[in-house]
Amino acid sequence: MNTSLNEARSRFLQCWGEMGSCWGINKTMAQIHALLMVHEEPLSTDEVMRELNISRGNANMNLRSLVDWGLVRRSFKKGERREYFQSEKDVWRMFCTIARERKKREIEPVITALQECLAIAGRDRDCAAFRKQVESILEFVKTADLMLGKISQQQKSRVLPLLVRLLG
Amino acid sequence: MNTSLNEARSRFLQCWGEMGSCWGINKTMAQIHALLMVHEEPLSTDEVMRELNISRGNANMNLRSLVDWGLVRRSFKKGERREYFQSEKDVWRMFCTIARERKKREIEPVITALQECLAIAGRDRDCAAFRKQVESILEFVKTADLMLGKISQQQKSRVLPLLVRLLG
DNA sequence: TCGTACTTTCAGAAAGAACTGAAAGTATGA
DNA sequence: TCATACTTTCAGTTCTTTCTGAAAGTACGA
């Protein structure tokens, strides 16, 4: 098999794994995702284990997480009991999926927590400065949340013109 | 001192620390940042150590990181040798600073790495599918990079109208 | 130049996250 | 019902990151 393709692939897996770590995503999960992204054909758990040199438990757990995130689909070959996994390939749809999940898992809980902070603080005069700061953070996070929600519902083609306007 | 304010503060520190972890930021660093955000007055290393119950080394290291990120400024009180630290309070400016830093530290290196992947792969026919996928990822990351760069240069007042259009 | 009041560094310790692999669980077809 | 071919779980281990605290470094005024 083409050596430079192999080398390029493994460079890509490494890159994607590191990027994941930066953004709070398990490195192996990111690498499995990368692996599936650059394979047209669905891969089995055993193939993933072999390609990344990881244990069955690890492969299974991270494949499941990817399915939970909606980035990877289980797929079956007729006449085979074994399950295969296939990644979403379209980058914009991947982005939308990730945005929706992080919104739900991470941003919305922060909004709730900040609202709790304000509720706990109450309205005493000596809380005024604290309230003001937390309120402005909350407002920002809410706007970001709303925006992420809207953007991740759009077709890519509808977002591009806005970007052009912004970048122009 | 007002108990509910204390409770609200510590809830806020906890919340910000957890959020940091989600996004690949050291929890203690995020908590120090939170602590400084809700204090009008600059705090000394010893005050930070006391409030968060952490060691001198830890406090020193994370305060330095925050200064490196440009989120916190050193400040001095006249007649005192000790240094104090003060956080940027404006949320939009905080966001811009973080965006610029992550762009520089994390996004630009990914662009370079992806370009390397393409260079390694070369133009053989059996690389075509790989190239196509990596190219579309690269295009997306470049657009995100460009956009983050533009947005984080804007005044908040110039971004809001765009959001309104988008959200409408 | 020395003593004081601080800041920085870093080797080792602790905590936390991720991983392994064997055992248990499950589905299928004969 | 059983054997087979898989998937899932989880207790224990390994790896990574973060933290500690004492020692070294630095700056200043007397």
Side-chain angles (χ1 to χ4, degrees):
Chain A
M1 210 247 226
N2 185 327
T3 314
S4 69
L5 177 55
N6 272 341
E7 203 191 321
R9 274 217 182 104
S10 80
R11 186 88 183 68
F12 176 65
L13 300 194
Q14 191 202 333
C15 162
W16 212 242
E18 279 167 18
M19 198 214 45
S21 305
C22 281
W23 296 85
I25 288 153
N26 176 316
K27 187 180 137 219
T28 302
M29 179 169 151
Q31 287 186 332
I32 296 179
H33 184 216
L35 181 66
L36 295 177
M37 270 198 294
V38 295
H39 276 264
E40 291 301 314
E41 293 304 307
L43 299 183
S44 68
T45 302
D46 290 74
E47 286 164 325
V48 171
M49 286 166 64
R50 196 168 341 112
E51 292 272 349
L52 295 176
N53 235 298
I54 59 176
S55 71
R56 187 168 298 285
N58 195 9
N60 182 70
M61 186 181 55
N62 284 297
L63 281 165
R64 181 151 41 78
S65 293
L66 284 164
V67 172
D68 285 351
W69 274 72
L71 292 166
V72 163
R73 288 194 311 282
R74 291 173 199 273
S75 93
F76 297 91
K77 294 190 181 174
K78 57 181 181 243
E80 277 202 67
R81 189 180 298 177
R82 184 190 300 255
E83 39 185 19
Y84 287 81
F85 298 89
Q86 186 168 34
S87 170
E88 169 67 58
K89 298 286 192 302
D90 182 88
V91 182
W92 176 254
R93 270 191 274 158
M94 265 173 43
F95 167 77
C96 292
T97 301
I98 293 168
R100 272 195 299 273
E101 284 297 314
R102 296 204 90 147
K103 175 169 152 44
K104 189 173 71 193
R105 298 174 185 220
E106 292 157 14
I107 302 181
E108 287 170 12
V110 168
I111 292 176
T112 308
L114 291 175
Q115 283 166 340
E116 272 175 45
C117 289
L118 290 174
I120 293 167
R123 303 196 159 278
D124 288 7
R125 184 157 325 149
D126 56 358
C127 291
F130 175 82
R131 289 190 69 83
K132 185 164 164 256
Q133 186 65 30
V134 174
E135 273 161 3
S136 65
I137 292 168
L138 178 56
E139 187 205 1
F140 180 86
V141 177
K142 275 181 170 171
T143 307
D145 180 60
L146 204 58
M147 211 186 72
L148 217 52
K150 290 281 179 179
I151 287 185
S152 64
Q153 279 170 7
Q154 304 284 327
Q155 299 296 311
K156 188 183 180 188
S157 57
R158 297 215 32 205
V159 176
L160 270 176
L162 276 162
L163 293 191
V164 170
R165 183 192 302 270
L166 185 65
L167 302 176
Chain B
M1 211 248 226
N2 185 328
T3 314
S4 68
L5 177 55
N6 273 342
E7 204 191 319
R9 274 216 184 105
S10 81
R11 186 88 182 70
F12 177 64
L13 301 194
Q14 192 203 332
C15 162
W16 213 242
E18 279 166 17
M19 198 214 45
S21 305
C22 282
W23 295 85
I25 288 153
N26 177 315
K27 187 181 138 219
T28 302
M29 179 168 151
Q31 287 186 331
I32 297 178
H33 184 217
L35 181 66
L36 295 177
M37 271 198 292
V38 295
H39 277 264
E40 291 301 314
E41 294 302 308
L43 298 183
S44 68
T45 303
D46 289 75
E47 286 163 325
V48 171
M49 286 165 62
R50 196 166 344 111
E51 292 271 350
L52 295 176
N53 236 297
I54 59 176
S55 71
R56 186 169 300 284
N58 196 8
N60 181 71
M61 187 180 54
N62 283 298
L63 281 165
R64 181 150 42 77
S65 294
L66 285 164
V67 172
D68 285 350
W69 274 73
L71 291 166
V72 163
R73 288 197 312 283
R74 291 173 199 273
S75 95
F76 297 90
K77 294 190 182 174
K78 57 179 181 245
E80 278 202 66
R81 189 180 297 176
R82 183 189 303 253
E83 40 185 18
Y84 287 81
F85 298 89
Q86 186 168 34
S87 170
E88 168 67 58
K89 299 284 191 305
D90 181 87
V91 182
W92 177 254
R93 268 191 276 157
M94 263 172 45
F95 167 77
C96 292
T97 301
I98 293 168
R100 272 195 300 272
E101 284 297 315
R102 296 204 90 148
K103 175 170 151 45
K104 189 174 69 192
R105 297 174 185 220
E106 292 157 13
I107 302 181
E108 288 169 12
V110 169
I111 293 176
T112 307
L114 291 176
Q115 283 166 341
E116 272 173 47
C117 289
L118 290 174
I120 293 167
R123 302 196 160 276
D124 288 6
R125 183 155 329 147
D126 57 358
C127 291
F130 175 82
R131 288 190 70 83
K132 184 162 165 258
Q133 186 65 29
V134 174
E135 273 161 3
S136 66
I137 293 168
L138 179 56
E139 187 206 1
F140 181 87
V141 178
K142 274 181 171 173
T143 307
D145 181 62
L146 205 57
M147 212 188 71
L148 217 53
K150 290 282 179 177
I151 287 184
S152 64
Q153 279 169 8
Q154 305 283 325
Q155 299 297 310
K156 188 184 180 186
S157 57
R158 297 214 33 205
V159 176
L160 271 176
L162 276 162
L163 292 191
V164 170
R165 183 191 304 270
L166 186 64
L167 302 177

